[in-house]
Structures are given as C-alpha cells and as structure tokens.
Amino acid sequence: MDEYITDEFLKKLDEASKDERKELRRKKAIEIFEGEKGEISPKEISKLLGISENQVIRYLGMKRLENYKKTIGIPISSEKIRRVNIEIGIPKGRLTDSKVDRLVLARNERIKTLSDSGLSVEEVAEIEHLTISQAKEIYMSLGLPIYTLSELKNIEKVRKEKVRAERKVASRKRRNRRRREKRTGERQKGKVEIDKKPEINSFKDLIEKMRELLQQGKSGLAINLGRSFSNSTMLTPEEREKLDSSLKELESIREAYRRVQEKEKVIEK
C-alpha cells in the first residue's frame, strides 16, 4: 500500500496549512479506499496516513463504509460508529430542538470550512451526506458561492463562446440582407431605367448604350436592353444575329460570375 504515499504527496503535506493538510489526508484516504475497491480497512489506511482510525471513518463516510462492510464482510462495530458520530457532533439520546440547532450550526461550520478549502458543492454534499439540492439550499442560506472559481471560469467561457457564435450568425444575416437589398435595389433601378428606354435609332446606338452599361457594372441591364431589341425591325438580320451572339456571350460570363459568388458565400458560412 505504500505506493499511495508518494514523495509528491508528502511534500504537499509538509507545505500545506493545517486545514489544507486535513483536506489532503481526506482525499488520500478516499483515493486509497477506492483504489483498493473497498478491500482495505480504515485501520490500515490510518496507519498509512498517520491519523486515527476514527478520522479515516469520518473521511470515508457511512456510505463508503457500508460498501466496505458488504465487500469484505467485516462490520465496523456500532460502538465505533457511535464514537465517530459523537466526534462529528451527532449527540446520543433524544434529539431536542436545542440539539438540532447545535447540529445544524456544527454542520454549517463544517460546510463553510469545506467550501473555503475549494471543494465543489457535489463533494461537500457527499461528505455531509446531503443531496445536491439540499447542499445548494444550505449554500444559498449561508451566502456561499455554489460554483468554484474554476467552474465560474468555465461558465463564463461557455457564455462568451455562445455570444461570439450568436454575433457571427447575426453578422452573416446582416451581410446576406444587405446583399439581397442591393440586388433588389439594382433590379428596381434597372426596371426604371429600362422603362425610360434610351433613345436608340441604330444598331450602333444600341451597342454603345450596352457598352456604357457594362462599364458601369450593370451587366443585367445591358443584357435586358439587348433582349428588348432582339426582334426589332430596326435591325437587319445580320445585326440581330450579331446581337444574339453578343447576348449569349454576356449571359455566359454573368452566369460564371454568379457561380463564383455562390461558392464564396458557402465558404463564408
């Protein structure tokens, strides 16, 4: 069993304060007991840790001791449990109101000490044989923090990550909304400009106007304008053929550009 008492443990014990030494021994007693799957007596653990058997019994708690009794069939005497109960403040005889008050005060003091030593609510509840709900109620009544510093840091980390994720989603929605509004605005503007129908009296006028729109980045308007003249009797068959070829080329370029934009949106998501 000596492998449990390492140099590191002894060094921590030597450097610790009185309360910290208690807590180190408590944790080590539980570690040894559970490491041996309950097949070790409190007396053996007490020898390893240099403390009394009663202290080990108190550290392990009645629940573990019951498991110990069932595992190896060696009961801890009722007298020994009675003595341990007296040591931790459970008086014998009939419980009066004053005895109950003393028990509650003693328990609350133990809980304060355990909480100050850095134990979590769950660990304190186990030591004091309380449910988690009961322990939390007592913590709140005593004004003690329910979460340890490390738990609070983790909660804050999760909260910040959630806020960042929500902001990222909101930002993406804003970008998408601006894109939709821009496209809608362009379509509306294009409709107005087409309705105005620029003065075009020849194929040359048409090509010049389409080139002007393309230079302004309005390829959709240029294509729509060309389509509006595709069947015009103003153009000769040869001019209509050239116009049709130009429109097909413009539509092909515009479609390729749209595909690139769609890929960029997927990457952003």
Side-chain angles (χ1 to χ4, degrees), residues 29 32-33 40-50 56 60:
I32 295 170
F33 184 83
I40 182 172
S41 70
K43 190 170 184 177
E44 289 175 282
I45 296 173
S46 73
K47 288 177 181 177
L48 285 172
L49 296 178
V56 174
L60 294 178

Side-chain angles (χ1 to χ4, degrees), residues 188-199:
Q188 291 173 344
K189 185 177 178 182
K191 186 175 182 302
V192 170
E193 291 188 13
I194 289 174
D195 288 344
K196 289 180 180 178
K197 209 87 179 236
E199 187 176 344

Side-chain angles (χ1 to χ4, degrees), residues 228-268:
S228 66
F229 281 89
S230 58
N231 294 316
S232 173
T233 55
M234 181 188 76
L235 305 180
T236 65
E238 291 81 8
E239 288 171 340
R240 283 198 294 273
E241 188 176 341
K242 285 181 182 179
L243 177 61
D244 184 57
S245 177
S246 297
L247 288 173
K248 285 179 181 177
E249 187 176 352
L250 282 174
E251 286 170 345
S252 176
I253 293 170
R254 193 160 184 257
E255 185 58 34
Y257 179 70
R258 279 181 177 172
R259 282 197 296 270
V260 170
Q261 281 188 317
E262 289 301 320
K263 285 182 182 178
E264 288 178 351
K265 287 180 190 176
V266 171
I267 291 171
E268 284 180 7

